[in-house]
């Protein structure tokens, strides 16, 4: 198939009124011309962002523009886009990419403007945190669109500005247990197998700059406070207790044919909250009738729980049961004879 000339694609983009067709034309423009005619493609996209007739696409194109642009390019455009309400959110990263630290002052002002939309203020703080390696986003959702007003660490941002906008150290990777590199026990070997699979996922994510402010797919040493809170509520089988203490999952999500809905494996920090809707009603603070009190939810696949039977502990381990939700009543079936078996199953599926 012949490649459409750049000028022809330019005309078609500006004439197209159907959003789906516009999307395909835009993708052809990038695929066929961005590598060898980057500046010409950028000029087309920027012109559309300024005056194109499909208003929602003017905003969507900002992501492609930011990705194609290089340092010191199109500063005037990004400064203009920052002042356009429909383009501001995506223009923030364009300003940082174009002029670097010179963008700090206008972005701090944007974050401090209580007349700006919350998602825009949050995006400014998030992007400043990533660029400066400061911890303004520590522990907050990856997507600043999900931040709440009380999570805007504006005081920290303003203090950083007063100090001259120093570079930070960035977010340290989670601390992992040495047994993951030198496993000896069956539990350690199962955890090490899972860690090997998760490390491969992290490597792929790092190519896309995994956000260590909210790390995912790690097995990390749990905090003493989290383990103390767990000990106050439950007496865990030793294998599972040690797993949480030494290899606590941080947002571990297994997406595989075996778990076609995806499986979330809980860590120490989220174990108590994971019981909500199963054993515990967080609204009225009461236990939920019909839930076996000895079952502890340790994972779920599409809200179908996997539970450790705390009433059937042998040699430091306990069987894992599984049930489907939405069936009117819980019908549990034995899924694995012990947690280590379950962990090996997850490691194989990952």
């Amino acid at each position: 198939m012949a490649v459409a000339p750049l000028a022809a694609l330019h005309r078609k983009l500006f004439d197209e009124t159907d959003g789906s067709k516009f999307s395909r034309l835009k993708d052809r423009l990038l695929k066929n011309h961005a590598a060898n005619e980057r500046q010409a493609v950028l000029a087309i996209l920027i012109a559309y962002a300024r005056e194109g007739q499909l208003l929602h696409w003017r905003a969507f194109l900002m992501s492609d523009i930011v990705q194609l642009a290089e340092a010191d390019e199109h500063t005037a455009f990004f400064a203009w886009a920052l002042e356009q309400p429909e383009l501001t959110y995506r223009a923030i990263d364009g300003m940082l990419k174009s002029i670097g630290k010179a963008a700090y002052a206008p972005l701090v002002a944007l974050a401090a403007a209580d007349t700006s939309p919350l998602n825009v203020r949050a995006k400014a703080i998030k992007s400043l945190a990533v660029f400066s390696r400061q911890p303004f986003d520590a522990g907050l959702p990856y997507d600043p669109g999900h931040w709440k007003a009380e999570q805007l660490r504006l005081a920290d941002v303003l203090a950083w500005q007063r100090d001259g906008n120093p570079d930070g150290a960035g977010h340290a990777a989670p601390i992992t247990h040495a047994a993951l590199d030198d496993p000896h026990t069956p539990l350690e070997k199962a955890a090490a197998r899972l860690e090997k699979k998760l490390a491969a996922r992290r490597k792929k994510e790092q190519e896309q700059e995994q956000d260590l402010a909210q790390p995912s797919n790690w097995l990390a040493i749990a905090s003493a406070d989290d383990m103390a809170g767990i000990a106050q509520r439950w007496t865990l089988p030793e294998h599972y207790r040690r797993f949480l203490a030494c290899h606590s999952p941080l947002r571990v999500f297994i997406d595989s044919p075996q778990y076609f809905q995806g499986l979330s494996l809980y860590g120490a920090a989220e174990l108590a909250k994971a019981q909500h809707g199963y054993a515990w009603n967080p609204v009225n603070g009461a236990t939920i009738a019909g839930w076996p009190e000895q079952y502890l939810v340790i994972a779920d696949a599409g809200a179908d729980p996997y539970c450790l039977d705390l009433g059937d502990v042998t040699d430091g381990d306990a069987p894992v049961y599984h049930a489907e939700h939405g069936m009117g009543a819980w019908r549990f079936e034995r899924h694995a004879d012990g947690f280590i078996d379950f962990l090996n199953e997850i490691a194989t599926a990952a």
Side-chain angles (χ1 to χ4, degrees), residues 147-191:
W147 292 11
K148 300 176 182 178
E150 60 269 21
Q151 293 176 316
L152 299 181
R153 295 180 176 133
L154 186 59
D156 294 342
V157 173
L158 294 175
W160 166 73
Q161 185 180 56
R162 290 193 295 271
D163 289 342
N165 307 120
D167 289 337
H171 297 289
I175 299 174
T176 58
H177 197 280
L180 291 177
D181 296 319
D182 186 23
H184 295 286
T185 69
L187 173 67
E188 291 172 349
K189 290 177 181 178

Side-chain angles (χ1 to χ4, degrees), residues 40 76 87 104 119 122 134 141 150 161 217 219 221 225 236 244 259 262 267 272 293 298 302 337 339 343:
L87 305 181
Y104 284 175
N119 69 325
Q134 290 288 349
E150 60 269 21
Q161 185 180 56
N217 289 322
L219 299 180
I221 296 175
D225 287 344
L236 300 181
L244 287 181
Y259 307 113
E293 63 179 355
I298 61 173
D337 290 336
F339 174 71
L343 191 58

